Amino acid sequence: MKKQYWLLKTEPTSFSIYDLENAPKKTTFWEGVRNYQARNFLRDSIKKGDEVFIYHSNTDEPGIMGTAKVVKEGYPDDSQYNPKSKYYDSAATSENPRWYLIDIQHQNTFKNSLSLQALRNFDEL
């Protein structure tokens, strides 16, 4: 199967490319996604070896800050079962999970961001 490329959006005050770069083994799980279309991509489409662009939103200059690689395909997000978690979902069960996550590994942090404005100038996008 051909490698695909994905954009993962995060607010840097919650989790940034620098947090990923400094994580143990430069790897983390991408938790807390609570959008059904994004969930479907995590569960069904994003595959091990795919590349991701880490996009910082809700900043003075939103943009892509670096890259990562998918190291584990979609699996149920355990936080959906934990009543103490901010990602808890009372309708989710282990027999019928509603939310999924993937594991990613840091590849590259850009010296300068690829800003949203710059991205808008690419006709290919």
Side-chain angles (χ1 to χ4, degrees), residues 79-112:
S79 66
Q80 67 189 308
Y81 312 125
N82 181 355
K84 294 180 181 176
S85 170
K86 65 181 177 180
Y87 301 121
Y88 176 64
D89 184 335
S90 62
T93 66
S94 57
E95 296 80 26
N96 188 23
R98 296 179 77 178
W99 307 109
Y100 286 74
L101 48 81
I102 57 172
D103 290 359
I104 60 171
Q105 184 176 58
H106 178 267
Q107 296 295 297
N108 195 358
T109 298
F110 298 161
K111 191 174 199 176
N112 300 304

Side-chain angles (χ1 to χ4, degrees), residues 17-100:
I17 188 73
Y18 309 108
D19 294 321
L20 178 59
E21 185 175 22
N22 293 304
K25 298 183 182 180
K26 297 186 178 209
T27 302
T28 193
F29 47 88
W30 200 258
E31 72 175 342
V33 174
R34 296 299 183 264
N35 170 286
Y36 285 105
Q37 183 175 11
R39 183 271 321 260
N40 294 346
F41 286 133
L42 292 169
R43 183 188 64 199
D44 304 328
S45 301
I46 299 176
K47 301 298 179 191
K48 185 175 180 180
D50 284 354
E51 306 250 353
V52 298
F53 298 101
I54 306 297
Y55 181 90
H56 284 183
S57 64
N58 200 20
T59 65
D60 290 338
E61 187 175 330
I64 296 174
M65 296 299 295
T67 62
K69 178 173 62 172
V70 177
V71 294
K72 186 174 181 183
E73 294 180 13
Y75 58 99
D77 181 343
D78 284 341
S79 66
Q80 67 189 308
Y81 312 125
N82 181 355
K84 294 180 181 176
S85 170
K86 65 181 177 180
Y87 301 121
Y88 176 64
D89 184 335
S90 62
T93 66
S94 57
E95 296 80 26
N96 188 23
R98 296 179 77 178
W99 307 109
Y100 286 74

